[in-house]
Amino acid sequence: MTRKLAAELFGTFWLVFGGCGSAVLAAAFPELGIGFAGVALAFGLTVLTMAYAVGGISGGHFNPAVSLGLALAKRFEWKDLLPYWVAQVVGAVLAGAALYAIASGQAGFAAGGFASNGFGDLSPGGYSMQASLLIEIILTAGFLIVILGSTSKAVPGGFAPISIGLALTLIHLISIPVTNTSVNPARSTGAALFAETAAMGQLWLFWVAPLVGGALGALIWRYVFSPEESLENIGG
């Protein structure tokens, strides 16, 4: 179990450090030209690379909503859910701290939003709380369906990290203007702690919506797309 938790911690660290780092360190400079698309790709690449690197140890969740969804889909043991959540949040916070330490080494640094998520005044496009809640639920549900489908027994092995990484890239391309894209409570926590805005006051939405979306996606997969699979416990 220790190896699994270490893999989840480091995988989540990599996701937050790479994804949020691309926004804080690179996208902040227009002349570097990565923009929203570059940040979206960075998040996808973090999941793709860590799924191959440590996915064989822990399953490569790196996200409390994914762990919850996999438990509901009978791909993951419920007894391991809380330890996974703790490891994921710790990894995200460590990544936020490391990123802050690096970014603050620049003269005139101001944390500002620090790649955190938000709605209303903290939404990049000024979207409402209701719009932000809805898009986070829909996209997290879709993400779980991609994860469960691409890792099912009916699909050739070895390609799941590619589809999952590309799905996360697509999710970011859609929702960065709305919420700066969460679909991951740990990622949201790791950034919000170091933001110099009201991000912590809005963090509740970026726990509630992804968890609801993850559960919804898992239940859709279990009872609509793969009813036979729901009859056997294939995880753990």
Side-chain angles (χ1 to χ4, degrees), residues 166-209:
L166 289 174
L168 190 60
T169 299
L170 174 61
I171 285 167
H172 279 77
L173 288 172
I174 296 167
S175 60
I176 284 177
V178 184
T179 62
N180 212 23
T181 309
S182 173
V183 301
N184 184 336
R187 168 263 187 271
S188 297
T189 303
L193 283 171
F194 299 93
E196 294 176 351
T197 63
M200 283 297 295
Q202 297 188 358
L203 183 60
W204 65 269
L205 186 144
F206 301 103
W207 272 87
V208 171

Short mmCIF file of all heavy atoms in Angstrom, two decimals, residues 166-209:
data_model
loop_
_atom_site.label_atom_id
_atom_site.label_comp_id
_atom_site.label_asym_id
_atom_site.label_seq_id
_atom_site.Cartn_x
_atom_site.Cartn_y
_atom_site.Cartn_z
N LEU A 166 -5.40 12.70 -23.72
CA LEU A 166 -6.05 13.53 -24.73
C LEU A 166 -7.41 14.03 -24.24
O LEU A 166 -7.80 15.16 -24.55
CB LEU A 166 -6.20 12.76 -26.03
CG LEU A 166 -4.90 12.49 -26.80
CD1 LEU A 166 -5.17 11.60 -28.01
CD2 LEU A 166 -4.26 13.81 -27.24
N ALA A 167 -8.12 13.19 -23.48
CA ALA A 167 -9.40 13.63 -22.93
C ALA A 167 -9.22 14.79 -21.98
O ALA A 167 -10.00 15.76 -22.01
CB ALA A 167 -10.09 12.47 -22.22
N LEU A 168 -8.17 14.73 -21.15
CA LEU A 168 -7.93 15.84 -20.22
C LEU A 168 -7.52 17.11 -20.97
O LEU A 168 -7.90 18.22 -20.58
CB LEU A 168 -6.87 15.45 -19.20
CG LEU A 168 -6.70 16.42 -18.03
CD1 LEU A 168 -8.00 16.57 -17.24
CD2 LEU A 168 -5.58 15.98 -17.09
N THR A 169 -6.78 16.94 -22.06
CA THR A 169 -6.45 18.09 -22.89
C THR A 169 -7.71 18.72 -23.45
O THR A 169 -7.89 19.96 -23.40
CB THR A 169 -5.52 17.66 -24.04
OG1 THR A 169 -4.31 17.14 -23.50
CG2 THR A 169 -5.20 18.85 -24.95
N LEU A 170 -8.61 17.90 -24.00
CA LEU A 170 -9.87 18.41 -24.55
C LEU A 170 -10.68 19.12 -23.48
O LEU A 170 -11.24 20.20 -23.72
CB LEU A 170 -10.67 17.24 -25.14
CG LEU A 170 -12.08 17.56 -25.63
CD1 LEU A 170 -12.06 18.60 -26.75
CD2 LEU A 170 -12.79 16.30 -26.08
N ILE A 171 -10.76 18.53 -22.30
CA ILE A 171 -11.51 19.13 -21.20
C ILE A 171 -10.99 20.53 -20.89
O ILE A 171 -11.77 21.47 -20.70
CB ILE A 171 -11.43 18.22 -19.96
CG1 ILE A 171 -12.33 17.00 -20.14
CG2 ILE A 171 -11.78 18.97 -18.68
CD1 ILE A 171 -12.09 15.89 -19.14
N HIS A 172 -9.67 20.68 -20.87
CA HIS A 172 -9.10 22.00 -20.61
C HIS A 172 -9.37 22.99 -21.74
O HIS A 172 -9.63 24.17 -21.50
CB HIS A 172 -7.60 21.89 -20.35
CG HIS A 172 -7.27 21.46 -18.95
ND1 HIS A 172 -7.39 20.16 -18.53
CD2 HIS A 172 -6.85 22.17 -17.87
CE1 HIS A 172 -7.05 20.09 -17.25
NE2 HIS A 172 -6.72 21.30 -16.83
N LEU A 173 -9.32 22.52 -22.98
CA LEU A 173 -9.61 23.40 -24.11
C LEU A 173 -11.04 23.94 -24.02
O LEU A 173 -11.31 25.08 -24.42
CB LEU A 173 -9.42 22.65 -25.43
CG LEU A 173 -7.97 22.35 -25.82
CD1 LEU A 173 -7.93 21.44 -27.05
CD2 LEU A 173 -7.18 23.62 -26.08
N ILE A 174 -11.94 23.13 -23.49
CA ILE A 174 -13.34 23.56 -23.37
C ILE A 174 -13.52 24.53 -22.21
O ILE A 174 -14.20 25.56 -22.35
CB ILE A 174 -14.26 22.33 -23.16
CG1 ILE A 174 -14.24 21.42 -24.39
CG2 ILE A 174 -15.69 22.77 -22.84
CD1 ILE A 174 -14.87 20.06 -24.14
N SER A 175 -12.93 24.22 -21.06
CA SER A 175 -13.37 24.88 -19.83
C SER A 175 -12.39 25.84 -19.18
O SER A 175 -12.72 26.45 -18.17
CB SER A 175 -13.79 23.82 -18.80
OG SER A 175 -12.71 22.96 -18.49
N ILE A 176 -11.20 26.01 -19.73
CA ILE A 176 -10.31 27.02 -19.15
C ILE A 176 -10.98 28.40 -19.10
O ILE A 176 -10.90 29.08 -18.07
CB ILE A 176 -8.96 27.08 -19.91
CG1 ILE A 176 -8.08 25.89 -19.52
CG2 ILE A 176 -8.21 28.39 -19.59
CD1 ILE A 176 -6.76 25.82 -20.28
N PRO A 177 -11.69 28.83 -20.14
CA PRO A 177 -12.34 30.14 -20.04
C PRO A 177 -13.44 30.23 -18.99
O PRO A 177 -13.78 31.32 -18.54
CB PRO A 177 -12.93 30.34 -21.45
CG PRO A 177 -12.14 29.44 -22.33
CD PRO A 177 -11.83 28.24 -21.49
N VAL A 178 -14.00 29.08 -18.60
CA VAL A 178 -15.13 29.09 -17.67
C VAL A 178 -14.64 29.05 -16.22
O VAL A 178 -14.98 29.92 -15.41
CB VAL A 178 -16.08 27.90 -17.94
CG1 VAL A 178 -17.30 27.97 -17.01
CG2 VAL A 178 -16.52 27.88 -19.40
N THR A 179 -13.85 28.05 -15.87
CA THR A 179 -13.43 27.87 -14.47
C THR A 179 -11.91 27.79 -14.30
O THR A 179 -11.43 27.59 -13.21
CB THR A 179 -14.01 26.56 -13.90
OG1 THR A 179 -13.48 25.46 -14.66
CG2 THR A 179 -15.52 26.55 -13.94
N ASN A 180 -11.18 27.91 -15.37
CA ASN A 180 -9.74 27.61 -15.40
C ASN A 180 -9.50 26.12 -15.22
O ASN A 180 -8.39 25.69 -14.96
CB ASN A 180 -8.96 28.39 -14.35
CG ASN A 180 -7.55 28.71 -14.82
OD1 ASN A 180 -7.26 28.74 -16.00
ND2 ASN A 180 -6.66 28.95 -13.87
N THR A 181 -10.55 25.34 -15.37
CA THR A 181 -10.57 23.87 -15.38
C THR A 181 -10.05 23.23 -14.11
O THR A 181 -8.86 23.27 -13.80
CB THR A 181 -9.81 23.27 -16.57
OG1 THR A 181 -10.26 23.87 -17.78
CG2 THR A 181 -10.08 21.77 -16.65
N SER A 182 -10.97 22.57 -13.42
CA SER A 182 -10.59 21.73 -12.28
C SER A 182 -10.71 20.27 -12.67
O SER A 182 -9.74 19.64 -13.01
CB SER A 182 -11.46 22.03 -11.06
OG SER A 182 -11.18 21.11 -10.03
N VAL A 183 -11.93 19.73 -12.62
CA VAL A 183 -12.26 18.30 -12.72
C VAL A 183 -11.39 17.47 -11.78
O VAL A 183 -11.28 16.26 -11.95
CB VAL A 183 -12.21 17.75 -14.17
CG1 VAL A 183 -13.17 18.50 -15.07
CG2 VAL A 183 -10.80 17.76 -14.78
N ASN A 184 -10.79 18.12 -10.79
CA ASN A 184 -9.86 17.45 -9.90
C ASN A 184 -9.74 18.26 -8.61
O ASN A 184 -9.07 19.30 -8.58
CB ASN A 184 -8.49 17.32 -10.58
CG ASN A 184 -7.48 16.54 -9.76
OD1 ASN A 184 -7.57 16.45 -8.55
ND2 ASN A 184 -6.48 16.00 -10.44
N PRO A 185 -10.38 17.80 -7.53
CA PRO A 185 -10.33 18.56 -6.28
C PRO A 185 -8.92 18.76 -5.72
O PRO A 185 -8.64 19.80 -5.11
CB PRO A 185 -11.17 17.72 -5.32
CG PRO A 185 -12.10 16.96 -6.22
CD PRO A 185 -11.29 16.64 -7.44
N ALA A 186 -8.05 17.79 -5.89
CA ALA A 186 -6.68 17.94 -5.38
C ALA A 186 -5.96 19.05 -6.12
O ALA A 186 -5.29 19.89 -5.51
CB ALA A 186 -5.92 16.62 -5.52
N ARG A 187 -6.07 19.07 -7.44
CA ARG A 187 -5.45 20.12 -8.25
C ARG A 187 -5.94 21.49 -7.81
O ARG A 187 -5.16 22.45 -7.68
CB ARG A 187 -5.74 19.87 -9.74
CG ARG A 187 -5.40 21.03 -10.69
CD ARG A 187 -6.66 21.86 -10.97
NE ARG A 187 -6.45 22.88 -11.99
CZ ARG A 187 -6.03 24.10 -11.77
NH1 ARG A 187 -5.70 24.50 -10.57
NH2 ARG A 187 -5.91 24.95 -12.77
N SER A 188 -7.25 21.61 -7.55
CA SER A 188 -7.81 22.89 -7.14
C SER A 188 -7.28 23.32 -5.79
O SER A 188 -6.98 24.50 -5.57
CB SER A 188 -9.34 22.79 -7.09
OG SER A 188 -9.87 22.53 -8.36
N THR A 189 -7.14 22.38 -4.87
CA THR A 189 -6.64 22.69 -3.53
C THR A 189 -5.18 23.13 -3.58
O THR A 189 -4.80 24.12 -2.94
CB THR A 189 -6.79 21.46 -2.62
OG1 THR A 189 -8.17 21.05 -2.59
CG2 THR A 189 -6.32 21.77 -1.21
N GLY A 190 -4.37 22.42 -4.35
CA GLY A 190 -2.96 22.74 -4.42
C GLY A 190 -2.67 24.13 -4.95
O GLY A 190 -1.70 24.78 -4.53
N ALA A 191 -3.53 24.63 -5.85
CA ALA A 191 -3.34 25.98 -6.38
C ALA A 191 -3.98 27.04 -5.49
O ALA A 191 -3.40 28.11 -5.26
CB ALA A 191 -3.92 26.06 -7.79
N ALA A 192 -5.18 26.75 -4.97
CA ALA A 192 -5.93 27.76 -4.20
C ALA A 192 -5.19 28.19 -2.94
O ALA A 192 -5.27 29.35 -2.52
CB ALA A 192 -7.32 27.22 -3.84
N LEU A 193 -4.46 27.28 -2.33
CA LEU A 193 -3.74 27.59 -1.10
C LEU A 193 -2.72 28.71 -1.27
O LEU A 193 -2.39 29.42 -0.32
CB LEU A 193 -3.04 26.34 -0.57
CG LEU A 193 -3.92 25.30 0.12
CD1 LEU A 193 -3.12 24.04 0.39
CD2 LEU A 193 -4.48 25.86 1.44
N PHE A 194 -2.23 28.89 -2.50
CA PHE A 194 -1.16 29.86 -2.73
C PHE A 194 -1.63 31.06 -3.55
O PHE A 194 -0.84 31.97 -3.82
CB PHE A 194 0.02 29.17 -3.42
CG PHE A 194 0.61 28.07 -2.59
CD1 PHE A 194 0.18 26.76 -2.74
CD2 PHE A 194 1.55 28.35 -1.62
CE1 PHE A 194 0.70 25.75 -1.95
CE2 PHE A 194 2.08 27.34 -0.83
CZ PHE A 194 1.64 26.03 -0.99
N ALA A 195 -2.90 31.09 -3.91
CA ALA A 195 -3.44 32.21 -4.67
C ALA A 195 -3.67 33.41 -3.76
O ALA A 195 -3.99 33.24 -2.58
CB ALA A 195 -4.74 31.81 -5.35
N GLU A 196 -3.53 34.59 -4.31
CA GLU A 196 -3.78 35.81 -3.55
C GLU A 196 -5.12 36.42 -3.98
O GLU A 196 -5.23 37.61 -4.24
CB GLU A 196 -2.63 36.79 -3.77
CG GLU A 196 -1.31 36.29 -3.19
CD GLU A 196 -0.14 37.20 -3.47
OE1 GLU A 196 -0.31 38.15 -4.28
OE2 GLU A 196 0.94 36.97 -2.92
N THR A 197 -6.10 35.56 -4.08
CA THR A 197 -7.46 35.96 -4.43
C THR A 197 -8.41 35.27 -3.45
O THR A 197 -7.97 34.71 -2.45
CB THR A 197 -7.81 35.53 -5.86
OG1 THR A 197 -7.77 34.09 -5.93
CG2 THR A 197 -6.84 36.11 -6.87
N ALA A 198 -9.70 35.28 -3.76
CA ALA A 198 -10.68 34.60 -2.91
C ALA A 198 -10.87 33.14 -3.33
O ALA A 198 -11.93 32.55 -3.08
CB ALA A 198 -12.01 35.34 -2.98
N ALA A 199 -9.85 32.54 -3.93
CA ALA A 199 -9.98 31.18 -4.45
C ALA A 199 -10.34 30.17 -3.36
O ALA A 199 -11.11 29.24 -3.60
CB ALA A 199 -8.68 30.76 -5.14
N MET A 200 -9.80 30.33 -2.17
CA MET A 200 -10.11 29.38 -1.09
C MET A 200 -11.59 29.41 -0.74
O MET A 200 -12.18 28.38 -0.40
CB MET A 200 -9.27 29.68 0.14
CG MET A 200 -7.83 29.21 0.05
SD MET A 200 -7.69 27.41 -0.12
CE MET A 200 -8.33 26.85 1.46
N GLY A 201 -12.20 30.58 -0.84
CA GLY A 201 -13.62 30.70 -0.54
C GLY A 201 -14.51 30.03 -1.57
O GLY A 201 -15.68 29.74 -1.29
N GLN A 202 -13.97 29.79 -2.76
CA GLN A 202 -14.74 29.12 -3.81
C GLN A 202 -14.32 27.66 -3.99
O GLN A 202 -14.88 26.97 -4.84
CB GLN A 202 -14.56 29.87 -5.14
CG GLN A 202 -15.10 31.29 -5.12
CD GLN A 202 -15.08 31.94 -6.49
OE1 GLN A 202 -14.62 31.36 -7.48
NE2 GLN A 202 -15.59 33.16 -6.57
N LEU A 203 -13.39 27.20 -3.18
CA LEU A 203 -12.85 25.86 -3.37
C LEU A 203 -13.92 24.78 -3.21
O LEU A 203 -13.82 23.71 -3.84
CB LEU A 203 -11.71 25.63 -2.37
CG LEU A 203 -10.97 24.29 -2.45
CD1 LEU A 203 -10.32 24.09 -3.82
CD2 LEU A 203 -9.92 24.19 -1.34
N TRP A 204 -14.94 25.06 -2.40
CA TRP A 204 -15.99 24.06 -2.18
C TRP A 204 -16.58 23.56 -3.49
O TRP A 204 -16.86 22.36 -3.65
CB TRP A 204 -17.10 24.64 -1.29
CG TRP A 204 -17.85 25.79 -1.93
CD1 TRP A 204 -17.56 27.12 -1.84
CD2 TRP A 204 -18.99 25.69 -2.79
NE1 TRP A 204 -18.45 27.86 -2.58
CE2 TRP A 204 -19.34 27.02 -3.17
CE3 TRP A 204 -19.75 24.63 -3.27
CZ2 TRP A 204 -20.42 27.29 -4.01
CZ3 TRP A 204 -20.83 24.89 -4.12
CH2 TRP A 204 -21.15 26.22 -4.47
N LEU A 205 -16.79 24.49 -4.46
CA LEU A 205 -17.40 24.08 -5.73
C LEU A 205 -16.51 23.10 -6.47
O LEU A 205 -17.00 22.18 -7.14
CB LEU A 205 -17.69 25.31 -6.60
CG LEU A 205 -18.46 25.04 -7.90
CD1 LEU A 205 -19.42 26.18 -8.21
CD2 LEU A 205 -17.51 24.84 -9.09
N PHE A 206 -15.20 23.27 -6.33
CA PHE A 206 -14.27 22.43 -7.08
C PHE A 206 -13.92 21.14 -6.35
O PHE A 206 -13.08 20.38 -6.81
CB PHE A 206 -13.04 23.27 -7.46
CG PHE A 206 -13.45 24.46 -8.28
CD1 PHE A 206 -13.52 25.73 -7.72
CD2 PHE A 206 -13.85 24.29 -9.60
CE1 PHE A 206 -13.94 26.81 -8.47
CE2 PHE A 206 -14.27 25.37 -10.36
CZ PHE A 206 -14.32 26.63 -9.79
N TRP A 207 -14.60 20.92 -5.22
CA TRP A 207 -14.69 19.59 -4.63
C TRP A 207 -16.05 18.97 -4.96
O TRP A 207 -16.13 17.84 -5.41
CB TRP A 207 -14.49 19.66 -3.10
CG TRP A 207 -13.05 19.58 -2.71
CD1 TRP A 207 -12.16 20.61 -2.61
CD2 TRP A 207 -12.32 18.39 -2.38
NE1 TRP A 207 -10.92 20.14 -2.25
CE2 TRP A 207 -10.99 18.78 -2.10
CE3 TRP A 207 -12.66 17.04 -2.30
CZ2 TRP A 207 -10.01 17.86 -1.74
CZ3 TRP A 207 -11.68 16.11 -1.93
CH2 TRP A 207 -10.38 16.53 -1.67
N VAL A 208 -17.10 19.73 -4.75
CA VAL A 208 -18.44 19.18 -4.94
C VAL A 208 -18.69 18.77 -6.39
O VAL A 208 -19.10 17.63 -6.67
CB VAL A 208 -19.51 20.19 -4.49
CG1 VAL A 208 -20.91 19.72 -4.89
CG2 VAL A 208 -19.45 20.41 -2.99
N ALA A 209 -18.44 19.67 -7.33
CA ALA A 209 -18.77 19.39 -8.73
C ALA A 209 -17.97 18.21 -9.30
O ALA A 209 -18.57 17.32 -9.93
CB ALA A 209 -18.57 20.64 -9.58
#
